[in-house]
Amino acid sequence: MKIAYFSPMNPERSGISDFSEELVAELCKQCEIEIFTSNKNISNNSIKNSVIVHSIKDYYTESVRKKFDLAVFHVGNNYQFHKEIVECFMKFGGVLELHDIALHHYLAEETIAQGKQNQYVQIMQYCHGEKGRCRAEDFLAGRKTAPWEKESLEFMVNKHLVDRAEGIIVHSEFAKQTIRGIRRDVPIYVIELHASELKMYTKEEKDKIKDKLGIPKNYLIMGAFGYASKEKRIVQILDALKKYSKHNKQFYFLIVGKVAGIDIEKILREYGLVDKVIVTGFVDLDLFKEYMIACDVAFNLRYPTQGESSASLARLLGMGKTVFVSNIGTFMEYPDDVVIKIACDKQESQQIYEGLLRLSSEIQAYQERAYRYALINNNLEINCKKYIKCFSNLIQNSIEAEGFEDKLLDTIFDMKLTDSSYVDRLFQKIRFWMES
């Protein structure tokens, strides 16, 4: 089988870029892959030297499209990285791989930021009916705050994409059931995010990495990984660490990723944590993983959620790390004895603090359970086989559907049932049966 694979790729600084690099390298062992991306000059030489890389506009040529059995479009909530991918998907259709089920940030950048307020209202109405239209108009008129601030899962604005899809891949049961409520007739596949490496590192191996990074060996090392925004609850974590520092001063907290929307230096001064927190800024994937290896405890909190899964969480579990997650959305699916769940309420900081106090007696048990979970659910080789099976099923379904449609049309014409009003009534009945 031959797959057209649409995704951001490094040097585009996206978690989906990292995810795709690892997945493509594995998929290439079992099927033909050609990459379509906004920046053809991808930075991963091993991918570049082994896979044909196209610009997305190449797919607009019919002779190019005909080469492929299936086209898979990876879509996330970042307009910058997914704009061309979404435009191509909406024009030609294909398999939609949703990394976020709520796409309101994307829509706001696509419409409002471009001065296309009417288009924003139209899409809100298409996706959410009159309720969506009224909510959009209230926001644009200044009567209400932005819907994506606290109502992301109520106004997900993904129906126009979901309706265009021939098949959908998501990364959690939560996402599957949500999409199933929007469209019942489309095939939906759940494949958890992978960890490229599944390994519990020994103390000696961790100490070697700590030496390289300049991190003390005998301290408790905690970290938050990826884009560090207020939604990742960085302020709440720091508030908990302020309290925790009264009980244990032998720790460091690593913020590994770009910090946005937070005056981090001011907060560190106010909380007395300047000497306890290391902010790395953006780092490449190899260094990103090294900081994870050095870590003992990680925070993967987020509120509000966009219905997303977390590649960082998969990596952390694959290394056997103790991880705090927000008890919301996809993260509720993880077993309670694998991750430490924190409620998204006014007691959030206090719960983090209390969780840290309990960890001295529980940390090793959490690490072992996390690793065992990842071996089954986040294994790249196993997940790659799931993708191949998914692709095969979708290709076969497409062939069977085309054959069935041809036979149905032949039968209708043979019976001379070509009256337009009759055909319209027949279509309405078929749609009713499909939706009931």
Side-chain angles (χ1 to χ4, degrees):
M1 72 183 80
K2 194 163 188 174
I3 308 299
Y5 189 103
F6 291 76
S7 174
M9 303 291 289
N10 287 309
E12 293 181 308
R13 295 178 174 181
S14 163
I16 297 175
S17 300
D18 298 335
F19 165 89
S20 285
E21 281 189 3
E22 294 165 346
L23 181 60
V24 164
E26 191 67 26
L27 285 173
C28 284
K29 300 174 184 177
Q30 301 185 50
C31 67
E32 288 187 70
I33 295 277
E34 293 186 16
I35 294 171
F36 291 78
T37 190
S38 299
N39 183 356
K40 284 183 63 176
N41 297 315
I42 65 175
S43 55
N44 187 313
N45 287 327
S46 63
I47 296 288
K48 187 163 53 178
N49 295 333
S50 60
V51 180
I52 296 173
V53 181
H54 300 269
S55 69
I56 290 171
K57 291 300 180 185
D58 289 346
Y59 196 74
Y60 285 66
T61 303
E62 185 177 4
S63 60
V64 173
R65 294 197 302 277
K66 284 184 175 180
K67 291 167 48 181
F68 299 98
D69 299 304
L70 206 66
V72 182
F73 296 80
H74 289 258
V75 173
N77 210 9
N78 187 300
Y79 178 71
Q80 175 188 350
F81 296 140
H82 296 276
K83 173 181 179 291
E84 290 187 65
I85 294 172
V86 169
E87 287 175 351
C88 188
F89 169 76
M90 292 301 291
K91 184 170 180 63
F92 299 108
V95 178
L96 176 66
E97 181 152 351
L98 275 175
H99 291 262
D100 303 275
I101 59 170
L103 299 172
H104 220 129
H105 289 86
Y106 179 96
L107 179 65
E109 286 293 319
E110 180 185 42
T111 56
I112 299 170
Q114 314 301 320
K116 300 176 181 177
Q117 281 78 1
N118 288 340
Q119 185 181 350
Y120 174 72
V121 174
Q122 289 168 5
I123 293 177
M124 277 284 275
Q125 183 168 10
Y126 181 91
C127 294
H128 300 287
E130 285 302 297
K131 183 179 180 181
R133 180 186 63 79
C134 292
R135 184 65 179 86
E137 290 176 346
D138 282 344
F139 165 58
L140 293 174
R143 292 188 291 269
K144 290 187 177 179
T145 58
W148 56 85
E149 289 183 359
K150 294 184 179 180
E151 302 164 274
S152 291
L153 294 184
E154 185 174 356
F155 298 102
M156 293 181 292
V157 289
N158 61 26
K159 179 175 167 57
H160 54 311
L161 277 75
V162 168
D163 285 350
R164 191 73 178 93
E166 299 164 12
I168 298 175
I169 300 171
V170 292
H171 303 297
S172 70
E173 190 64 29
F174 173 84
K176 177 182 177 179
Q177 295 306 323
T178 302
I179 298 302
R180 180 63 72 220
I182 296 169
R183 184 179 168 194
R184 294 179 60 184
D185 66 319
V186 66
I188 305 176
Y189 296 84
V190 178
I191 305 175
E192 278 201 41
L193 297 176
H194 63 258
S196 59
E197 182 182 34
L198 298 169
K199 178 179 179 179
M200 283 193 73
Y201 288 84
T202 65
K203 184 179 185 306
E204 290 74 20
E205 289 171 321
K206 289 174 65 176
D207 284 348
K208 186 176 180 180
I209 294 291
K210 288 179 182 179
D211 280 342
K212 178 181 175 182
L213 298 174
I215 298 172
K217 294 177 184 177
N218 297 319
Y219 277 45
L220 178 69
I221 306 301
M222 296 177 273
F225 298 86
Y227 196 70
S229 62
K230 63 180 181 180
E231 289 80 13
K232 298 293 184 68
R233 319 309 284 167
I234 298 298
V235 176
Q236 287 77 8
I237 296 167
L238 292 172
D239 185 50
L241 293 179
K242 177 180 67 174
K243 302 171 191 173
Y244 181 70
S245 65
K246 297 175 182 176
H247 297 268
N248 177 19
K249 297 190 181 300
Q250 302 291 98
F251 75 86
Y252 273 103
F253 177 49
L254 314 175
I255 300 177
V256 185
K258 180 181 177 181
V259 178
I262 302 171
D263 189 341
I264 193 70
E265 294 179 358
K266 179 181 178 183
I267 294 171
L268 293 180
R269 288 194 302 270
E270 289 178 355
Y271 288 2
L273 294 173
V274 172
D275 297 329
K276 294 296 180 186
V277 177
I278 299 170
V279 182
T280 68
F282 178 83
V283 298
D284 65 31
L285 184 56
D286 289 338
L287 187 54
F288 188 81
K289 291 178 183 178
E290 288 183 342
Y291 277 112
M292 280 188 171
I293 294 168
C295 200
D296 303 299
V297 177
F299 298 97
N300 201 274
L301 307 174
R302 57 195 70 200
Y303 179 82
T305 179
Q306 309 302 319
E308 72 275 37
S309 298
S310 170
S312 293
L313 177 56
R315 294 185 197 283
L316 290 162
L317 296 177
M319 293 179 184
K321 303 299 180 181
T322 304
V323 188
F324 287 71
V325 303
S326 296
N327 195 22
I328 189 173
T330 62
F331 306 103
M332 296 175 70
E333 296 177 23
Y334 289 89
D336 292 344
D337 63 349
V338 169
V339 295
I340 300 171
K341 296 177 181 176
I342 302 297
C344 303
D345 58 25
K346 293 180 180 179
Q347 296 301 309
E348 185 175 12
S349 176
Q350 182 65 20
Q351 287 184 53
I352 297 169
Y353 163 65
E354 292 173 359
L356 288 173
L357 290 181
R358 292 194 301 270
L359 267 189
S360 58
S361 60
E362 300 177 355
I363 189 167
Q364 185 172 350
Y366 270 108
Q367 290 172 344
E368 290 172 355
R369 291 191 294 262
Y371 182 64
R372 288 199 299 269
Y373 178 89
L375 284 175
I376 298 170
N377 297 283
N378 306 115
N379 186 305
L380 177 56
E381 290 185 12
I382 292 173
N383 286 7
C384 184
K385 292 176 182 177
K386 293 178 182 178
Y387 273 98
I388 296 298
K389 184 177 181 180
C390 163
F391 295 162
S392 298
N393 288 345
L394 288 169
I395 291 168
Q396 185 60 38
N397 288 344
S398 176
I399 293 170
E400 290 175 355
E402 287 176 7
F404 174 77
E405 287 167 1
D406 289 341
K407 290 177 183 177
L408 177 62
L409 289 171
D410 288 343
T411 301
I412 289 173
F413 280 105
D414 287 344
M415 296 175 68
K416 301 189 184 327
L417 300 176
T418 55
D419 177 73
S420 61
S421 61
Y422 174 79
V423 173
D424 184 61
R425 290 199 305 275
L426 181 63
F427 168 74
Q428 296 298 333
K429 286 183 178 180
I430 291 171
R431 188 169 70 174
F432 174 78
W433 293 331
M434 293 292 291
E435 293 178 352
S436 62

